[in-house]
Amino acid sequence: MSGGQAGAAPRTVEIAIGGMHCAACAARVEKQLNLLPGVEAAVNFATEKAHVRYLPGMAEAEGLLAAVEKTGFTATLSTAATRGEEEARKLAAYRAEVKRFWLSAALTLPLVGQMLFMFGGHGDSHVEVIPRWLQLVLATPVQFWIGWRFYAGGFNALRGGSGNMDVLVALGTTMAWAYSAVVTLAGLHQHVYFEASTAVITLVLLGKILEARAKAKTSAAIEALVKLQPQTAHVERDGQLVERSEEHTSELQ
């Protein structure tokens, strides 16, 4: 780091980032932040936070938040006062995710269940117990409502000039759903793959829930360590000891 205001000491801030779905998202945010002059950033996907060190005059907190939002994610400054709100937001998002998963599983189960007839000795490996129009009705909300997060995440990744898992999930399931929808609506005698598209979305959602639980445990452990740090620091300035609160100690780093 060089430049900035003459004699200005580097400052450190922590940014809470919302909407990251994978390590590639964290890498994209980190790259965007480090492109800013006078900025050194490290993004932790597990804690969903960015630790940023910057030079005043070359960069400001508002510009850092704008850079994160440019990549398609939400960004807020993380302080001791806002950590409770962050945890409440994560908990609400986790509960909403669990509800979406169970709804997706309920709609997917009938579609996947009929595949058992392929092994029931019926001779026809393409036995369809559920009418195709009903399969279309069951699969559509899973694809475009419950699975909307993959479209949004994929769009943000492509807009940022990279790809991620969301792009693959959205592309693969959309092709399976679209082909099956055309076959169903056109009355063609071809196999449909509604069970494949819905099963992929449901299983990926399950993985996201397990991942969120692991991240929550990691965040709780880190928060416990943060609470152990002193809230004030005594700094010698011009021969005198000055007490500095937590929000100002970053200026000393």
Side-chain angles (χ1 to χ4, degrees):
M1 281 188 182
S2 61
Q5 296 178 350
R11 295 181 181 178
T12 302
V13 295
E14 195 172 53
I15 301 175
I17 304 172
M20 293 192 299
H21 298 149
C22 61
C25 297
R28 189 165 75 253
V29 174
E30 184 174 300
K31 179 181 178 181
Q32 184 67 31
L33 287 171
N34 284 319
L35 288 176
L36 300 176
V39 173
E40 293 179 359
V43 179
N44 190 317
F45 173 62
T47 60
E48 297 182 318
K49 290 182 180 179
H51 188 77
V52 186
R53 192 166 182 258
Y54 68 96
L55 287 175
M58 298 185 68
E60 297 298 336
E62 293 76 9
L64 300 176
L65 298 180
V68 175
E69 293 172 351
K70 184 179 179 181
T71 61
F73 306 106
T74 61
T76 56
L77 291 179
S78 178
T79 63
T82 62
R83 284 173 187 141
E85 298 178 2
E86 293 171 16
E87 293 304 316
R89 175 184 57 81
K90 291 180 180 179
L91 179 59
Y94 173 77
R95 289 175 175 173
E97 196 84 327
V98 171
K99 290 179 180 179
R100 281 192 291 267
F101 164 74
W102 285 116
L103 178 58
S104 180
L107 295 172
T108 301
L109 187 59
L111 298 173
V112 175
Q114 69 174 348
M115 297 177 64
L116 296 176
F117 284 84
M118 296 182 182
F119 308 99
H122 293 275
D124 185 1
S125 62
H126 290 169
V127 171
E128 293 181 359
V129 178
I130 303 175
R132 288 190 174 183
W133 66 267
L134 183 53
Q135 293 186 51
L136 177 60
V137 170
L138 292 172
T140 299
V142 175
Q143 183 68 44
F144 296 105
W145 177 45
I146 298 173
W148 177 253
R149 58 171 293 164
F150 301 112
Y151 291 99
F155 174 77
N156 290 332
L158 294 176
R159 187 177 63 176
S162 63
N164 60 7
M165 185 183 69
D166 291 335
V167 176
L168 299 177
V169 173
L171 181 61
T173 58
T174 299
M175 292 301 296
W177 180 91
Y179 172 84
S180 302
V182 169
V183 170
T184 299
L185 296 176
L188 303 177
H189 297 289
Q190 302 291 333
H191 186 55
V192 294
Y193 301 94
F194 290 120
E195 76 285 347
S197 62
T198 56
V200 168
I201 291 176
T202 302
L203 291 175
V204 173
L205 284 178
L206 176 59
K208 294 291 185 181
I209 291 174
L210 297 177
E211 178 183 72
R213 290 182 61 182
K215 288 166 61 177
K217 293 180 179 179
T218 300
S219 297
I222 293 176
E223 289 298 325
L225 291 175
V226 169
K227 291 179 180 179
L228 296 177
Q229 72 179 12
Q231 299 300 310
T232 59
H234 292 86
V235 184
E236 184 176 353
R237 292 285 177 85
D238 300 325
Q240 296 182 346
L241 287 178
V242 180
E243 186 175 278
R244 307 288 286 180
S245 60
E246 179 186 9
E247 56 267 22
H248 295 112
T249 55
S250 61
E251 300 176 5
L252 309 177
Q253 298 180 15

